[in-house]
Amino acid sequence: QEEAARGVVGFRVFKIYAKAATYFFTILSFFGYCISQSLRLGLNFWLERWARASESERTNLIGKLLGVYAFLAVLYVFVDIGVNLLVFIGAGYRAAKRMHSDLLDRILRLPM
């Protein structure tokens, strides 16, 4: 009788999935997520700096403050969309295709 496994997903499962998606995509998606989160953190820090600025400083530097914030926001959106496309469409599709193909091969080669 089969039982459902309980607990955390083991490292072995992640390794199988990373191998199916190719290590290149896995490493690329990891660094992409790091860059994406760094940009998000940078947006928060910039917004905090903008909020801490004095009224006269905000008035004098509104172009710079808004320009840097807009640049970081647009860059974050493009990087985040790119990473999500890479991971979900590129690596995810590749891993699913490879894993299901291997599964089908094993099922079809089972002895009768």
Side-chain angles (χ1 to χ4, degrees):
Q1 182 176 359
E2 292 183 25
E3 293 183 26
R6 295 177 188 242
V8 297
V9 177
F11 180 74
R12 184 174 164 264
V13 174
F14 286 112
K15 187 176 176 185
I16 290 170
Y17 190 80
K19 184 177 180 183
T22 71
Y23 292 120
F24 173 75
F25 273 121
T26 303
I27 292 169
L28 192 61
S29 63
F30 174 76
F31 284 116
Y33 274 126
C34 288
I35 292 169
S36 176
Q37 292 306 309
S38 297
L39 285 168
R40 186 174 179 188
L41 191 62
L43 275 169
N44 290 336
F45 278 125
W46 189 257
L47 198 56
E48 181 211 0
R49 188 225 181 280
W50 190 350
R52 278 189 294 122
S54 66
E55 189 65 37
S56 64
E57 195 177 23
R58 275 189 230 150
T59 306
N60 293 336
L61 299 175
I62 190 70
K64 177 186 174 191
L65 293 170
L66 190 58
V68 170
Y69 186 77
F71 174 75
L72 288 174
V74 168
L75 189 60
Y76 168 71
V77 167
F78 281 117
V79 168
D80 198 48
I81 289 172
V83 168
N84 285 323
L85 287 175
L86 170 78
V87 171
F88 292 122
I89 294 176
Y93 176 75
R94 181 177 296 220
K97 184 177 177 183
R98 179 176 280 169
M99 292 172 82
H100 283 89
S101 177
D102 289 348
L103 176 66
L104 183 63
D105 284 345
R106 288 178 184 168
I107 289 173
L108 292 176
R109 286 179 174 52
L110 281 173
M112 297 224 130

